[in-house]
Amino acid sequence: MGKRKAETHLNGHNGRGILKKRAKTALSDEEAQKCFRGGLFDPKVLKEYTKSYAESEPYKHSVIHALVNDTLLRSVRDEIKENVHFTPKETDIYKIHQSGDLANLDGLDDAALEKLPSLLKLRDALYSESFRQYVATVTGSGDLSGRKTDMAINVYTPGCHLLCHDDVIGSRRVSYILYLTDPDIPWKEEWGGALRLYPTRTYKDHNGEKTVTPSPDFTKVIPPAWNQLSFFAVQPGESFHDVEEVYHARTKEQLQKEGGRIRMAISGWYHIPQIGEPGYIKGAEEKWGHNSSLMQLQGNPDKYDFPQQQSITVDAKSRPLEEKELEETDFDFLLKYMAPTYLTPDTLEQVSESFLELSSVTLDGLLSAKFAERVKNYIQSQEVSPSSAIATGSKGSWSIAKPPHKQRFLYQQPTSAAPDKTKESIAHLDPITELLDVFLPSRQFRQWLEIATECEVENFDILARRFRRGQDYALATSHEGQPRLEISLGLTPTPGWGADEEEDVEPTEKEVIKENNKKANDRKKVNGKENIEVEPEEDDVGGHEVYMAGDDDEAIGDAAVYKASSDADDDNVLFTMPPSWNKMSIVLRDSGVLKFVKYVSKNAKGDRWDISGAFGVKETDDNEGEEQEESQEISLEDSEEEVFNGFPDSEDSDSD
């Protein structure tokens, strides 16, 4: 995955919630220093912070308690609460509330500025020459710009979070957070919301080339506190950090007693000097950005991403697609794993028609009742066991996906390339391993998939995944190359994810066809919904897998922004699959389409379990007749909005 740009929206680079440009009258050093606590600028105090910064780990950072004059900061908080409006914003990497009325403090009219005098004063104090010099001395960063100010007000309520990233964008030199939590209700560490710092690990290949990646676990936790400033120099490929989820209270009464657990903060950056400022060097900003990009691309970072692909090539001597039919022995094999409904000609035809129309299809109750019960019992037993005890070396064990600025979840890959196991060996497999090693890589399942999609499979890669609540996610990545089939078999037994939560029974053929027709009739109404009100946060626990159209023209913004528009026409979500039980989605993913799995909140009732598979398919012959050309598959990115709901999926969509 390339350079992360998700935090640009978070911190106001979309023109909303950003406080920038100097006020016309700058504060004098004396006026600026009065805005901070007494004694802060004492040379001995500055020396202590500088020493502490130099000795800090996992990378250099500093924390200053009681930074600002308490009376001033209380006034700032009151002004924000009374006059600033916040709107929810969500992407693959964060979920926050962001100010929407402060595009430019200096651009506001006099009446508006009269409501925010303390906020304006604080901004000017933070970017005053005396305090910039203070920060530069502690960090050793060199001169910092007072003209290019860059700060935003963000609010984290229960369920909000910001995942791992390094803050490297443009000319940023120092990153900071000033907390405005309730001054009269001290923040408790168990509420979450901490700034967490990740160490890095350096790999060296046989050519001596070095690659630096963040370790999967953080080693430094800095909980929020009233009037506390945390800051560090932005270092490409090193300054990795996240913001821990703010956790839900057990009851509404408890939440109210604790002041709502509202993590309010002013966050921003100091940039390198601009033209006309002391320390400005012509071309330095361009060089800084270029060097930052080189640092991130040094070595071969993808080589140290896990899991690595284990693509298996299919025997090229298979029969032509039009001649493929399931034989009696194939049915005997598939019936052990699949519901009989999906093996009947009429249902299989319905599945194929729906897929060809929408380039996606969702099949409820795919696994047979008997095998599904085995899977459910196994997963439920695993959920009560500590998920932190993971054997990463033994065959068939669960490992941790990494690095964390791309993904974190538990995964298991097939234990062998050949699925032809004996009955005796299969009998000793747990059901997840049996799905990975026997059913999904089998010739019979591939043949069923080819009939259902009218695609010819050339290779496949299968992976079992467990996204643990309060820990795991997969950030947006883009598929490049020929369109491919992707399956996701939902194996999440717990409720509360926004998916259909019906009894675990096998669907009949008539029910499948009837439900498909009903969904087709309902889709316009579902997609026409307006996102006027924000859903209660306790109802949205994440974990959904999302396909989104990539935007090649979006230079600054984050392509994986969703749930941010009230206009359904502006939503570029193509397909969403919430955690579900015994439900398989099949999607034809085109080149350039993004995919991610949203962070699973600690408030979820369980973990997200699934098996994900990618099936490379043979490219369609361009010389086929017009009649066949009209009926061939439509790529996901070119399909209509009906693809939001799949077949037969829930009417309630997390992406509405």
Side-chain angles (χ1 to χ4, degrees):
M1 187 172 69
K3 170 69 191 73
R4 290 296 309 160
K5 296 183 180 178
E7 59 266 35
T8 57
H9 281 271
L10 170 64
N11 297 294
H13 288 269
N14 59 344
R16 301 179 65 185
I18 188 169
L19 317 180
K20 57 184 180 180
K21 295 186 180 178
R22 292 284 295 160
K24 294 179 180 178
T25 304
L27 295 177
S28 67
D29 285 348
E30 183 180 357
E31 290 173 324
Q33 292 185 21
K34 286 182 179 179
C35 295
F36 298 93
R37 78 159 193 255
L40 179 68
F41 290 87
D42 186 294
K44 291 183 179 180
V45 174
L46 176 58
K47 186 176 181 180
E48 289 175 1
Y49 281 125
T50 304
K51 183 176 183 293
S52 175
Y53 182 89
E55 297 173 349
S56 58
E57 294 181 347
Y59 52 83
K60 294 179 176 59
H61 65 277
S62 185
V63 178
I64 299 178
H65 299 282
L67 174 77
V68 180
N69 176 286
D70 193 76
T71 301
L72 172 61
L73 200 61
R74 283 176 179 264
S75 296
V76 170
R77 190 172 189 272
D78 290 340
E79 289 174 4
I80 293 172
K81 288 175 61 179
E82 293 174 9
N83 301 298
V84 179
H85 173 69
F86 292 89
T87 55
K89 195 134 191 179
E90 186 166 357
T91 73
D92 62 327
I93 196 172
Y94 64 76
K95 178 180 180 180
I96 62 160
H97 298 268
Q98 185 179 66
S99 58
D101 297 334
L102 300 174
N104 184 337
L105 275 185
D106 299 322
L108 298 177
D109 57 35
D110 292 341
L113 281 175
E114 287 177 359
K115 297 180 180 179
L116 302 169
S118 300
L119 182 57
L120 185 63
K121 188 174 184 180
L122 175 63
R123 184 202 65 179
D124 291 343
L126 289 173
Y127 285 89
S128 65
E129 183 177 352
S130 57
F131 191 68
R132 282 185 287 117
Q133 183 59 46
Y134 196 97
V135 172
T137 300
V138 172
T139 62
S141 64
D143 292 325
L144 301 172
S145 176
R147 182 181 303 154
K148 188 171 184 178
T149 63
D150 187 355
M151 52 193 292
I153 307 169
N154 297 313
V155 170
Y156 290 68
T157 55
C160 291
H161 56 269
L162 171 61
L163 304 179
C164 184
H165 62 290
D166 67 1
D167 263 5
V168 176
I169 290 180
S171 59
R172 296 173 178 176
R173 183 163 274 180
V174 175
S175 179
Y176 68 86
I177 300 176
L178 175 60
Y179 293 103
L180 301 175
T181 53
D182 194 321
D184 301 315
I185 303 178
W187 190 272
K188 295 182 179 180
E189 189 171 349
E190 59 264 29
W191 296 353
L195 175 66
R196 304 186 298 194
L197 311 184
Y198 288 75
T200 56
R201 180 176 178 181
T202 301
Y203 298 89
K204 182 184 291 186
D205 64 17
H206 61 280
N207 294 320
E209 191 171 28
K210 294 182 179 180
T211 301
V212 180
T213 64
S215 299
D217 298 312
F218 51 86
T219 57
K220 179 67 177 181
V221 178
I222 306 173
W226 164 252
N227 200 2
Q228 171 183 290
L229 180 76
S230 301
F231 62 100
F232 52 85
V234 175
Q235 303 172 74
E238 185 169 346
S239 54
F240 289 101
H241 60 282
D242 70 11
V243 175
E244 179 185 19
E245 177 187 2
V246 175
Y247 301 125
H248 291 262
R250 292 184 178 180
T251 64
K252 291 183 178 180
E253 293 74 19
Q254 180 185 357
L255 184 65
Q256 186 175 8
K257 182 179 179 181
E258 295 169 345
R261 297 189 178 182
I262 299 173
R263 180 193 182 275
M264 182 189 296
I266 294 176
S267 59
W269 297 269
Y270 291 101
H271 292 255
I272 66 175
Q274 306 297 294
I275 187 169
E277 291 187 299
Y280 170 76
I281 300 175
K282 186 177 180 180
E285 183 167 342
E286 292 76 10
K287 185 178 180 180
W288 174 263
H290 178 69
N291 289 341
S292 296
S293 298
L294 288 178
M295 285 291 293
Q296 290 181 312
L297 295 174
Q298 71 173 351
N300 184 13
D302 292 344
K303 180 180 179 180
Y304 303 101
D305 290 357
F306 295 94
Q308 291 281 310
Q309 288 188 353
Q310 291 186 356
S311 183
I312 299 173
T313 301
V314 173
D315 184 4
K317 298 180 181 180
S318 59
R319 290 175 294 171
L321 184 61
E322 59 272 13
E323 298 179 9
K324 291 189 176 180
E325 293 182 359
L326 294 171
E327 300 178 353
E328 185 175 351
T329 55
D330 298 330
F331 284 111
D332 292 340
F333 173 84
L334 291 173
L335 282 170
K336 178 182 177 181
Y337 301 101
M338 295 180 67
T341 300
Y342 291 112
L343 300 177
T344 63
D346 288 344
T347 302
L348 200 50
E349 184 178 353
Q350 285 288 323
V351 171
S352 180
E353 288 177 356
S354 183
F355 178 82
L356 291 176
E357 178 185 357
L358 304 174
S359 72
S360 66
V361 66
T362 306
L363 308 176
D364 204 357
L366 181 91
L367 297 178
S368 66
K370 184 177 181 180
F371 192 81
E373 187 65 21
R374 275 190 63 204
V375 176
K376 179 176 284 188
N377 291 338
Y378 174 79
I379 289 177
Q380 288 176 336
S381 68
Q382 293 295 304
E383 288 232 338
V384 299
S385 304
S387 61
S388 57
I390 306 158
T392 58
S394 60
K395 194 174 183 181
S397 64
W398 294 87
S399 302
I400 301 179
K402 55 186 178 181
H405 68 301
K406 298 181 181 181
Q407 58 196 1
R408 182 170 63 221
F409 54 85
L410 302 186
Y411 71 90
Q412 183 177 332
Q413 293 177 295
T415 56
S416 64
D420 50 344
K421 292 179 176 290
T422 64
K423 289 184 178 181
E424 291 74 18
S425 63
I426 293 175
H428 293 89
L429 298 177
D430 65 72
I432 296 294
T433 304
E434 189 169 347
L435 288 171
L436 279 176
D437 285 9
V438 182
F439 171 50
L440 293 175
S442 68
R443 174 193 58 79
Q444 293 89 338
F445 175 75
R446 293 198 310 272
Q447 192 163 323
W448 176 89
L449 185 64
E450 290 178 332
I451 295 171
T453 62
E454 296 190 13
C455 294
E456 186 171 347
V457 174
E458 294 185 319
N459 55 72
F460 61 91
D461 188 11
I462 305 169
L463 186 73
R465 305 184 299 182
R466 177 182 180 180
F467 292 85
R468 299 161 295 176
R469 51 183 173 172
Q471 298 186 67
D472 293 342
Y473 52 86
L475 298 184
T477 55
S478 178
H479 163 61
E480 304 299 335
Q482 294 298 323
R484 70 185 186 190
L485 291 174
E486 294 190 352
I487 66 167
S488 178
L489 177 57
L491 300 175
T492 305
T494 51
W497 300 92
D500 289 329
E501 293 166 5
E502 301 172 354
E503 294 184 9
D504 186 21
V505 294
E506 293 180 355
T508 65
E509 177 184 324
K510 290 184 178 180
E511 286 172 342
V512 171
I513 297 173
K514 181 179 178 182
E515 182 68 9
N516 181 38
N517 293 334
K518 178 180 181 296
K519 295 296 180 181
N521 293 331
D522 286 348
R523 284 184 183 115
K524 288 185 178 179
K525 179 179 70 174
V526 172
N527 291 329
K529 283 172 53 180
E530 292 188 1
N531 186 22
I532 298 174
E533 297 182 0
V534 180
E535 291 294 320
E537 291 182 2
E538 58 268 28
D539 293 337
D540 183 6
V541 293
H544 36 276
E545 186 168 58
V546 179
Y547 286 83
M548 298 188 68
D551 189 350
D552 296 334
D553 298 327
E554 191 170 14
I556 297 180
D558 179 5
V561 175
Y562 68 112
K563 291 189 178 180
S565 173
S566 60
D567 185 352
D569 294 335
D570 292 339
D571 202 336
N572 58 347
V573 172
L574 301 172
F575 183 84
T576 184
M577 182 71 169
S580 56
W581 168 247
N582 194 9
K583 183 180 291 187
M584 176 180 280
S585 66
I586 307 173
V587 170
L588 183 64
R589 186 181 182 187
D590 199 6
S591 180
V593 171
L594 301 172
K595 183 175 74 169
F596 63 90
V597 176
K598 186 63 181 168
Y599 167 83
V600 179
S601 170
K602 192 175 182 179
N603 202 43
K605 295 181 180 179
D607 300 343
R608 173 191 169 110
W609 297 72
D610 67 24
I611 294 184
S612 177
F615 292 76
V617 295
K618 187 176 181 180
E619 189 174 1
T620 305
D621 188 355
D622 294 333
N623 296 323
E624 293 179 359
E626 291 184 7
E627 183 176 339
Q628 183 160 348
E629 205 171 279
E630 291 177 358
S631 64
Q632 70 183 13
E633 298 87 344
I634 306 170
S635 66
L636 182 60
E637 191 164 16
D638 296 330
S639 63
E640 298 297 325
E641 279 192 315
E642 284 88 345
V643 76
F644 271 86
N645 301 293
F647 155 71
D649 204 350
S650 171
E651 295 181 21
D652 298 322
S653 173
D654 284 334
S655 58
D656 286 342

